[in-house]
Amino acid sequence: MKDLIFEFVCYNHNIMLKFNYYFKGEEQIVISTDAEIALQIRDLKMSFGQKEVLKGVNLDVYRGQIVGYIGPNGAGKSTTVKIILGLIEGYEGQVNLLGQDISKDAYDYKSKIGYVPEMAEVYENLTAREYLNFVGELYGLNKTAIDNKATRLMEIFEIGSVYDSRIASYSKGMKQKLIIISSLLHNPDILFLDEPLNGLDANSVMVLKEILGMLAAQGKTIFYSSHIMDVVEKISHRIILLNDGQILADGSFEQLKQTNKEGSLEEIFNQLTGFNEYKTLANEFVAVVQGV
Ligand SMILES: Nc1ncnc2c1ncn2[C@@H]1O[C@H](COP(=O)(O)OP(=O)(O)OP(=O)(O)O)[C@@H](O)[C@H]1O
């Protein structure tokens, strides 16, 4: 790789992390790492009835990486994540998470996972205190520790004043903050985020982006699925583009740019997925709305 500048080795919790860096202007970009594999997927296939949704996905995700998992609607992103989380059965292939085969091993690996689903179901009749205590106890945390941690995280996210209010009274962004807190309460090793910025205001987005960067720097692995391309472009060490159940591209943003010669991730996405008719579709849509 011609732009490779240097290799950096460090130790995190006694695990050797080896990063290969290159530079984009002043910015350092991790392009590969010989660190521990956090998630390994081999020939993953999934069908719903006659519809083949995943057609043989292969993937190694390393500890400390932020992976942006992108793709058009219906590409199979959520299906991949739900299989990894053990929420969908009937798949073919192999998934190893944090060194455990999810089809064979006990469920203890689940306690190391944090998950922010695209559409989270929360018990709206509960208060945040009740909900976070419930979630924390499911993870085996001590009640006082949960309460201390939950109170502080709610305050940092500026929703401390509604800790004892019913979740039903929260705005969309407040609920999203609560879901993010509940996914991190047990300090997971790997985090799956499906559109985590849903409803968050610009300031909160900045805070969350910073948090994700810090967690990754501490060796947490982050699997981030979103359609907001400029955020994926900025936060991801590595971007994986899934199209029609297959990986179409896999690399750092810089690598994708070199291969595809387009400016932004949005443009690369459009080019790779062969989508260039947005103006025609918009015209047709407006014409139908106007009844012409
Ligand atoms: N439980 C299910 N039963 C039948 N079909 C399903 C089921 N879950 C997902 N699918 C289908 O699988 C395909 C992939 O869905 P999936 O939710 O994984 O896509 P996605 O890439 O996450 O899309 P989006 O960006 O819209 O969230 C879609 O065609 C969807 O209709």
Side-chain angles (χ1 to χ4, degrees):
M1 178 131 343
K2 63 180 169 22
D3 290 318
L4 179 65
I5 304 292
F6 74 93
E7 196 176 81
F8 172 70
V9 176
C10 69
Y11 287 84
N12 190 330
H13 302 291
N14 293 327
I15 292 165
M16 188 182 84
L17 302 172
K18 191 164 108 188
F19 297 99
N20 296 323
Y21 280 91
Y22 78 115
F23 287 86
K24 176 180 125 193
E26 298 277 292
E27 208 181 334
Q28 293 172 18
I29 298 179
V30 180
I31 52 175
S32 68
T33 166
D34 298 332
E36 191 185 332
I37 293 177
L39 170 66
Q40 185 171 63
I41 298 179
R42 289 289 174 272
D43 205 19
L44 183 62
K45 293 181 183 158
M46 179 72 204
S47 296
F48 291 108
Q50 296 299 308
K51 189 172 169 50
E52 205 182 357
V53 171
L54 297 177
K55 302 176 178 172
V57 171
N58 288 290
L59 201 56
D60 285 338
V61 175
Y62 297 91
R63 193 177 145 175
Q65 270 190 333
I66 302 181
V67 171
Y69 196 51
I70 60 172
N73 292 134
K77 303 178 298 294
S78 298
T79 303
T80 317
V81 171
K82 285 179 186 165
I83 290 172
I84 299 167
L85 295 170
L87 300 174
I88 294 181
E89 290 181 344
Y91 63 89
E92 281 176 45
Q94 210 186 358
V95 180
N96 281 293
L97 189 68
L98 304 169
Q100 289 182 291
D101 180 337
I102 63 161
S103 70
K104 294 196 182 115
D105 291 318
Y107 293 111
D108 59 319
Y109 72 89
K110 289 197 176 178
S111 64
K112 297 173 188 156
I113 299 174
Y115 178 40
V116 174
E118 187 177 13
M119 286 192 252
E121 301 283 341
V122 284
Y123 299 104
E124 302 233 336
N125 281 332
L126 298 183
T127 65
R129 181 194 296 275
E130 290 163 346
Y131 179 68
L132 293 174
N133 269 282
F134 168 68
V135 172
E137 281 180 18
L138 287 179
Y139 284 113
L141 303 179
N142 155 297
K143 220 172 165 62
T144 317
I146 300 169
D147 210 41
N148 284 338
K149 210 167 182 179
T151 318
R152 281 164 58 204
L153 294 175
M154 294 277 293
E155 277 165 8
I156 294 166
F157 263 161
E158 299 184 323
I159 50 172
S161 60
V162 293
Y163 192 43
D164 286 307
S165 306
R166 278 179 197 270
I167 298 167
S169 68
Y170 287 21
S171 71
K172 190 175 173 187
M174 287 157 82
K175 273 184 207 158
Q176 188 66 9
K177 289 177 180 179
L178 176 68
I179 291 156
I180 292 167
I181 291 171
S182 72
S183 75
L184 287 166
L185 209 54
H186 57 299
N187 193 19
D189 290 335
I190 185 162
L191 199 52
F192 292 89
L193 306 169
D194 202 347
E195 292 294 359
L197 307 182
N198 263 341
L200 295 189
D201 62 38
N203 293 345
S204 309
V205 168
M206 284 172 75
V207 176
L208 185 64
K209 276 158 61 179
E210 201 65 27
I211 291 170
L212 296 181
M214 287 179 173
L215 291 173
Q218 287 173 5
K220 311 278 189 198
T221 309
I222 295 163
F223 202 82
Y224 186 103
S225 195
S226 174
H227 293 292
I228 308 175
M229 291 298 121
D230 58 333
V231 176
V232 175
E233 179 184 317
K234 287 195 186 92
I235 68 158
S236 307
H237 298 144
R238 175 177 168 196
I239 294 163
I240 295 170
L241 172 57
L242 190 75
N243 191 37
D244 194 21
Q246 289 171 308
I247 292 179
L248 205 58
D250 180 356
S252 70
F253 173 58
E254 285 305 310
Q255 285 175 313
L256 297 191
K257 218 159 82 167
Q258 277 172 15
T259 318
N260 298 286
K261 304 197 173 36
E262 292 288 347
S264 66
L265 182 58
E266 188 174 68
E267 287 166 323
I268 293 172
F269 182 97
N270 290 345
Q271 190 196 33
L272 285 172
T273 54
F275 184 75
N276 51 18
E277 51 189 15
Y278 59 97
K279 283 194 178 145
T280 315
L281 291 176
N283 275 328
E284 278 176 26
F285 194 96
V286 171
V288 172
V289 168
Q290 290 175 333
V292 287

